[in-house]
């Protein structure tokens, strides 16, 4: 691992060898420090993870699994991958873990391709109601390979419509039922999912990519405790690790999952990423991380309350996890793209978001998505979320008032100056 002195020297070298790249790096560091990241799938990774990503493990090819590699020279890679697998199983109470997926999409693809045959039916959340691209968007390869059928949310609280889900399962006989979402602010009734799956003989998969850190921190339910066959999670969101994915499953699926990841879908795993994942899983097992997870939820509640106090309309009326979806059309008379652009101008980074059965297209949807994992990682608390809620409402009520937006940007910078980004 490099010392700080080495890293500083390498940065100086980079400034000389590639000033364009170095300048972009510096600008990105400034952007992250001066602004505030509110996209719910983004976070600041544990600072301890960064040196491992730039470590000697990046030089090694390790196709295969510990004790069963194709190339020589694996004593150290076997140690780190074994540690990562054991830690993943302990933290998530899983029987089996694969830690090699390069990121979220190959992770989910590996599950489908490992446990199903092309053409099989998968029951998953409608995308506009909170599902993810890899849950069968027609533009994704998985959407073309498998027959996806849909369930949706219902009512003012925006809960999953479990009654309709059960009816669809009984009618369609899916081989797999997927739960897990990108923009669903409610808790999931995993027991109900498992009960429905058992009735129709389907496998169950929970993609907890967004809330993996909150499951690890014991503030949200763990689907594996309810008998799920498979749980997937990315490692770089609420878990605060490197970019990557984990597949956790029942022991009986382990062989099929391993073969599906490698050699089925991927070549050599990124061993620097696996090393960083092993460390992440150790850090996520600490009491400090449980406090972090609790604070993510408390901050989401505080942000939700602040927005409601400023008459902002939230899809589902509130949140039970780390994310919120605002209806920007009904709240401010502007679409989500415009809202995102306005907030960019005051250094608050968010993302436009489709809302359930959105009449508008995804490039100009009716909503905006916010989340609290990143501000919480900077040490912000509920009082700071009240400020952020006020700033958002004020900016979106005056989207074309340059002087007002400039004042709000100054307020954002005063706030972020008090909370350094971990690791920068
Ligand atoms: N891009 C991530 C999200 O925002 O949900 C998942 O791919």
């Amino acid at each position: 691992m490099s010392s700080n002195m080495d890293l500083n020297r390498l940065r100086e070298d980079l400034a000389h060898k590639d000033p364009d790249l170095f300048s972009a790096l510096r600008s990105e560091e400034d952007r992250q420090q001066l602004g505030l990241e509110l996209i719910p799938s983004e976070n600041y990774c544990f600072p301890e993870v960064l040196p491992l990503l730039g470590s000697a493990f990046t030089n090694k090819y390790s196709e295969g699994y510990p004790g069963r590699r194709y190339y020589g020279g694996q004593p150290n890679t076997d140690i780190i991958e074994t540690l990562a697998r054991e830690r993943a199983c302990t933290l998530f109470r899983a029987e089996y873990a694969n830690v090699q997926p390069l990121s979220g999409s190959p992770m989910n693809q590996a599950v489908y391709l490992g446990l199903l045959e092309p053409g099989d039916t998968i029951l998953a959340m409608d995308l506009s109601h909170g599902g993810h691209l890899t849950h069968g968007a027609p533009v994704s390869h998985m959407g073309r390979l498998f027959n996806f059928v849909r369930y949706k949310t219902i009512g003012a609280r925006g809960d999953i419509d479990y009654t309709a889900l059960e009816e669809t399962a009984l009618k369609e006989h899916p081989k797999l039922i997927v739960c897990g979402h990108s923009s669903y602010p409610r808790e999931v009734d995993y027991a109900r999912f498992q009960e429905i799956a058992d009735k129709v003989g389907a496998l169950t998969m929970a993609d907890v990519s967004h809330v993996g850190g909150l499951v690890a921190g014991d503030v949200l339910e763990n689907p594996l405790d309810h008998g799920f066959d498979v749980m997937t999670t990315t490692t770089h969101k609420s878990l605060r690790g490197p970019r990557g994915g984990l597949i956790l499953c029942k022991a009986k699926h382990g062989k099929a999952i391993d073969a599906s990841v490698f050699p089925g879908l991927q070549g050599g795993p990124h061993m620097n990423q696996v090393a960083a994942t092993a460390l992440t899983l150790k850090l996520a097992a600490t009491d400090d991380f449980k406090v972090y997870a609790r604070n993510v939820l408390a901050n989401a509640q505080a942000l939700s309350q602040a927005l409601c106090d400023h008459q902002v309309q939230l899809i589902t009326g509130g949140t039970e996890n780390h994310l919120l979806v605002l209806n920007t059309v009904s709240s401010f008379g502007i679409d989500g793209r415009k809202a995102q652009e306005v907030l960019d101008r005051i250094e608050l980074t968010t993302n436009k978001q489709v809302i359930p059965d959105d009449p508008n297209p995804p490039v100009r949807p009716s909503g905006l998505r916010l989340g609290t994992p990143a501000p919480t990682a900077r040490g912000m608390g509920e009082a700071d979320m009240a400020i952020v809620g006020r700033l958002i409402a004020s900016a979106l009520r005056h989207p074309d008032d340059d002087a007002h937006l400039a004042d709000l940007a100054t307020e954002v910078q005063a706030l972020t100056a008090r909370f350094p980004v971990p690791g920068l």
Side-chain angles (χ1 to χ4, degrees), residues 39 41 132 182 210 237 351 369:
I39 294 174
S41 52
H132 184 250
S182 264
H210 265 254
K237 298 188 176 87
N351 72 274
R369 199 177 58 149

Side-chain angles (χ1 to χ4, degrees), residues 2-13 50-51 54:
S2 308
S3 70
N4 277 346
M5 233 171 69
D6 291 337
L7 283 175
N8 285 338
R9 189 175 50 72
L10 288 168
R11 282 175 70 94
E12 276 170 30
D13 275 0
L50 290 169

Side-chain angles (χ1 to χ4, degrees), residues 39-42 104-105 132-133 181-183 209-210 234 236-237 243 351 369:
I39 294 174
S41 52
E42 295 192 23
S105 290
H132 184 250
L133 275 178
H181 320 99
S182 264
S183 60
S209 288
H210 265 254
T234 46
H236 48 276
K237 298 188 176 87
R243 302 198 84 83
N351 72 274
R369 199 177 58 149

